[in-house]
C-alpha cells in the first residue's frame, strides 16, 4: 500500500484524554480512532493487525477441532431468563434496548446461554459429541472502568469457543489441548515470553480456571509468578493451601502486575442444567453435557502487544501481527529515487512481501523516519540518492539502531524468508 493513499495520518501530539500507552501510541499512529470513552474504531492499519491476530487464533482453534460460525449480537430475553442472567441485578454490564413492537433485547456480553440454547437442537446422542463451535464476534459490556485503551472497551471483538463433551474426562482432555493452543497463540503473537498460564478462580464447577496473564505494569491484575515452573497464581486464589496444592514454594514466587489476555474455563453442567442440554448415552440414558468456555479478546491482545513491545519512539510489532512487514521510505524529490522506489515497490509486491510505501512528496526525511519508528513495521527500507550511490537500499530492523546497505538480491533474500 502506498502511504499517499492511506487516509490516516500520524499525529505528533499525544491525545489529551488517554492515559494508557496502547491507546496513546495507536491513536498517534492512526491505527485506531476514539469515538468516546471505551469505544474505538479500527482504522486500516489497526484492522490489518486485528485480521492477523484473527488468522493466528483461527488456525490454532481449527487445529484442535474448532468449527467456526458467526452468532448474532442480539440476545433473546427468554433464553437468558432460563439461567437467571437477564436481570440487571445479576449482570451489571448488559446493554439492552426496547423493541418498537414491545419487548426488550440485549446485546451480547458473553455467549454461554445462546450457545447452549442453540446447540440443544443439534445434540441428541452420544454420537453428536464432542462438539467445539466457536466464533469471532463483537461483544458489548457496560464497563465502568475504561482507562486501559483498547484493553478494556465497552465494545470489543473477541473469539469464544465452547466445548460440549460427554463427560468430565473428555472435557479435561480437550481443556488441556485448548491450554496448549492458547500458549501457541500468545507465542505466535510475540508475547509468549511474558505470558504465564495462571491459576485463577474456577467458579462452582472446578477448582481453578486458567488465565493467560502477560506481565506488564499496565495490567489490572496481580499475579504470583514461579518463573522456574513457568506458572503463575492469580491473587484472587493465592493462599497457603493453593501453594501446597500446586507444589509451589512461596520463596520462589514474584508478585507482578499482569494483563489477562485470555482465559479458559470449565463450566461443568452450569448451563446444561437450565437448558436441559442432555444426550442419550449408549444405553439410552439421558446424560447432561459437560461444557467449557475459551475466550480471547483480540483488541486486548493487540493493546497488550503495544504495551509490552514498544520503546520511546513507538511501537515494535512482531512480524506475525505487523500491518506490513516492510516500511519502505523514498527520500528526497529526485526522479531517479522515485523511479527506483516504485520499481522496488512493484517487485516486493509481486513477491507477496507486504510493504507500506512512504511515497509522500514534500515530507522531510526526519519526519518519515519518525513515522516509521512510530508505526513499528519490522523492517525499514530506505531508497535515497545516497543509498543508490552506495550500491542499493538501506535495510534496518525496527529493533536495530543502524541499518546496512544491500543490493536488490540481498534485500530479497533477507525479506523472503
Ligand atoms: P476482566 O477480568 O479483565 O474483566 P473477564 O474475566 O470479564 O475479563 P471474559 O468475560 O472471560 O473476561 O472474556 C474473555 C476475554 O475477553 C478476556 O480474557 C479478555 O481477553 C477479553 N475481554 C474481556 N473484557 C474485555 C473488555 N472490556 N475489553 C476488551 N477485551 C475484553
Ligand atoms: Mg477475568
Amino acid at each position: 500500500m502506498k502511504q499517499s493513499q492511506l487516509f490516516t495520518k500520524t499525529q505528533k501530539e499525544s491525545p489529551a484524554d488517554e492515559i494508557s500507552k496502547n491507546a496513546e501510541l495507536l491513536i498517534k499512529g492512526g491505527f485506531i480512532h476514539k469515538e468516546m470513552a471505551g469505544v474505538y474504531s479500527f482504522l486500516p492499519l489497526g484492522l490489518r493487525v486485528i485480521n492477523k491476530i484473527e488468522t493466528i487464533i483461527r488456525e490454532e482453534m481449527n487445529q484442535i477441532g474448532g468449527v467456526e460460525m458467526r452468532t448474532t449480537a442480539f440476545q433473546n430475553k427468554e433464553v437468558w431468563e432460563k439461567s437467571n442472567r437477564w436481570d440487571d441485578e445479576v449482570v451489571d454490564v448488559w446493554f439492552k434496548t426496547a423493541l418498537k413492537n414491545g419487548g426488550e433485547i440485549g446485546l451480547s456480553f458473553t455467549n454461554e446461554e445462546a450457545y447452549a440454547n442453540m446447540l440443544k437442537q443439534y445434540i441428541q446422542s452420544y454420537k453428536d459429541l464432542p462438539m467445539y463451535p466457536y466464533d469471532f464476534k463483537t461483544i458489548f459490556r457496560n464497563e465502568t472502568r475504561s482507562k486501559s485503551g483498547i484493553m478494556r472497551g465497552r465494545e470489543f471483538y473477541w473469539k469464544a469457543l465452547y466445548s460440549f463433551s460427554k463427560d468430565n474426562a473428555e472435557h479435561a482432555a480437550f481443556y488441556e489441548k485448548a491450554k496448549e493452543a492458547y500458549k501457541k497463540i500468545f507465542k505466535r503473537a510475540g508475547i509468549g515470553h511474558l505470558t504465564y498460564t495462571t491459576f485463577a478462580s474456577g467458579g462452582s464447577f472446578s477448582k481453578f480456571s486458567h488465565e493467560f496473564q502477560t506481565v506488564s505494569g499496565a495490567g489490572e491484575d496481580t499475579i504470583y509468578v514461579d518463573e522456574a515452573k513457568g506458572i503463575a497464581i492469580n491473587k484472587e486464589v493465592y493462599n497457603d493451601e493453593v501453594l501446597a496444592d500446586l507444589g509451589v514454594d512461596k520463596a520462589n514466587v514474584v508478585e507482578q502486575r499482569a494483563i489477562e489476555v485470555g482465559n479458559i474455563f470449565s463450566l461443568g453442567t452450569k448451563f446444561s442444567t437450565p437448558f436441559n442440554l442432555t444426550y442419550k448415552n449408549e444405553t439410552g440414558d439421558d446424560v447432561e453435557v459437560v461444557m467449557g468456555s475459551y475466550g480471547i479478546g483480540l483488541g486486548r491482545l493487540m493493546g497488550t502487544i503495544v504495551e509490552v513491545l514498544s520503546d520511546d519512539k513507538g511501537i515494535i510489532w512482531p512480524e506475525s501481527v505487523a500491518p506490513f512487514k516492510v516500511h519502505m521510505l523514498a527520500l528526497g524529490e529526485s526522479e531517479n529515487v522515485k523511479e527506483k522506489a516504485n520499481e522496488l515497490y512493484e517487485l516486493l509486491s509481486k513477491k507477496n512481501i507486504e510493504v507500506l510505501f512512504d511515497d509522500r512528496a514534500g515530507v522531510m526525511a526526519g519526519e518519515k523516519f519518525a513515522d516509521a519508528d512510530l508505526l513499528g513495521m519490522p523492517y525499514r527500507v530506505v531508497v535515497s540518492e545516497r543509498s543508490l550511490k552506495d550500491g542499493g537500499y538501506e535495510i534496518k530492523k525496527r529493533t536495530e539502531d543502524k541499518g546496512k546497505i544491500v543490493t536488490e538480491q540481498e534485500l530479497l533474500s533477507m525479506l523472503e524468508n
Side-chain angles (χ1 to χ4, degrees):
M1 177 183 267
K2 291 186 176 168
Q3 216 163 320
S4 60
Q5 293 171 331
L6 188 66
F7 64 83
T8 60
K9 291 187 174 74
T10 59
Q11 58 191 60
K12 286 196 180 61
E13 298 303 318
S14 295
D17 55 347
E18 287 287 357
I19 53 170
S20 74
K21 181 161 76 174
N22 71 83
E24 182 192 331
L25 288 173
L26 291 168
I27 289 171
K28 280 173 81 175
F31 290 87
I32 60 171
H33 179 259
K34 183 176 190 168
E35 301 294 338
M36 59 188 103
V39 183
Y40 299 89
S41 290
F42 284 74
L43 299 167
L45 291 175
L47 179 62
R48 290 181 74 97
V49 177
I50 288 291
N51 285 343
K52 294 206 170 166
I53 292 173
E54 183 170 324
T55 299
I56 293 173
I57 296 173
R58 177 177 291 118
E59 285 173 5
E60 297 301 337
M61 290 300 100
N62 291 349
Q63 195 69 40
I64 57 171
V67 180
E68 188 175 358
M69 62 176 176
R70 177 73 36 97
T71 62
T72 172
F74 288 134
Q75 298 299 305
N76 184 343
K77 179 180 174 185
E78 283 168 32
V79 168
W80 288 81
E81 278 173 344
K82 287 191 184 167
S83 60
N84 191 32
R85 288 214 291 177
W86 178 258
D87 196 336
D88 292 329
E89 299 290 317
V90 179
V91 172
D92 61 0
V93 295
W94 269 117
F95 279 107
K96 293 175 182 168
T97 192
L99 289 170
K100 277 195 176 170
N101 45 2
E104 256 187 314
I105 54 171
L107 292 174
S108 287
F109 72 94
T110 185
N111 285 341
E112 287 83 359
E113 280 79 348
Y115 268 65
N117 179 63
M118 184 194 308
L119 271 294
K120 184 174 164 53
Q121 194 180 332
Y122 304 104
I123 297 173
Q124 276 95 38
S125 125
Y126 67 94
K127 291 178 191 156
D128 299 324
L129 296 171
M131 227 179 242
Y132 307 119
Y134 74 96
D135 69 342
F136 291 93
K137 174 175 186 172
T138 301
I139 290 291
F140 302 90
R141 289 187 190 176
N142 207 336
E143 301 264 8
T144 47
R145 293 171 292 167
S146 57
K147 292 183 163 60
S148 297
I150 61 167
M151 299 196 301
R152 183 174 296 286
R154 294 201 161 92
E155 176 190 327
F156 61 96
Y157 192 56
W158 85 358
K159 181 279 305 177
L161 182 147
Y162 296 89
S163 62
F164 298 82
S165 305
K166 288 191 279 293
D167 50 39
N168 286 325
E170 190 172 69
H171 166 74
F174 180 77
Y175 189 88
E176 285 310 310
K177 271 198 198 172
K179 199 190 282 173
E180 293 309 312
Y182 267 52
K183 288 184 197 167
K184 279 192 206 157
I185 289 167
F186 300 120
K187 191 169 174 203
R188 289 180 65 184
I191 56 169
H193 59 301
L194 296 169
T195 303
Y196 293 89
T197 307
T198 304
F199 291 85
S201 80
S204 43
F205 277 89
S206 67
K207 191 148 194 185
F208 298 111
S209 69
H210 290 86
E211 295 172 341
F212 296 82
Q213 293 274 3
T214 307
V215 169
S216 162
E220 293 178 4
D221 293 356
T222 300
I223 62 169
Y224 294 88
V225 178
D226 183 331
E227 185 69 53
K229 287 206 158 72
I231 58 170
I233 304 165
N234 192 310
K235 188 176 186 174
E236 63 185 17
V237 296
Y238 185 75
N239 59 45
D240 290 336
E241 196 193 311
V242 167
L243 282 166
D245 208 29
L246 299 175
V248 170
D249 187 339
K250 209 176 209 156
N252 298 334
V253 301
V254 180
E255 185 183 300
Q256 299 272 23
R257 297 290 284 176
I259 304 162
E260 180 201 314
V261 284
N263 64 20
I264 62 176
F265 223 92
S266 295
L267 297 170
T269 54
K270 182 174 174 186
F271 296 95
S272 307
T273 304
F275 288 93
N276 195 18
L277 187 60
T278 62
Y279 67 94
K280 289 230 182 291
N281 69 10
E282 296 188 46
T283 52
D285 300 322
D286 290 317
V287 182
E288 281 188 314
V289 172
V290 176
M291 283 178 65
S293 73
Y294 312 80
I296 296 183
L298 281 73
R300 171 91 54 100
L301 176 52
M302 175 172 164
T304 301
I305 293 168
V306 175
E307 291 287 341
V308 300
L309 302 178
S310 57
D311 61 16
D312 54 353
K313 299 195 192 90
I315 302 169
I316 304 175
W317 293 113
E319 205 173 307
S320 57
V321 302
F324 295 90
K325 183 170 184 173
V326 180
H327 200 162
M328 186 182 119
L329 319 182
L331 302 186
E333 306 301 323
S334 100
E335 284 307 317
N336 186 34
V337 167
K338 279 185 201 162
E339 201 176 296
K340 286 285 185 323
N342 268 305
E343 276 171 27
L344 184 61
Y345 176 65
E346 295 299 329
L347 180 68
L348 295 178
S349 303
K350 216 161 61 205
K351 301 266 181 196
N352 289 322
I353 295 166
E354 293 178 323
V355 190
L356 179 64
F357 174 17
D358 193 347
D359 62 335
R360 293 172 300 169
V363 176
M364 302 301 283
E367 197 176 331
K368 289 192 175 185
F369 287 139
D371 276 359
D373 283 336
L374 174 61
L375 296 180
M377 303 322 152
Y379 293 94
R380 187 187 79 188
V381 172
V382 171
V383 185
S384 65
E385 282 296 1
R386 188 146 108 217
S387 78
L388 295 173
K389 203 172 88 225
D390 290 348
Y393 314 106
E394 189 213 53
I395 182 164
K396 183 183 94 62
K397 280 192 185 168
R398 175 63 179 80
T399 48
E400 294 169 349
D401 287 334
K402 269 176 76 82
K404 61 175 179 185
I405 299 288
V406 292
T407 64
E408 186 179 285
Q409 261 320 308
E410 288 166 335
L411 185 75
L412 281 179
S413 67
M414 286 174 81
L415 294 177
E416 269 187 310
N417 47 48

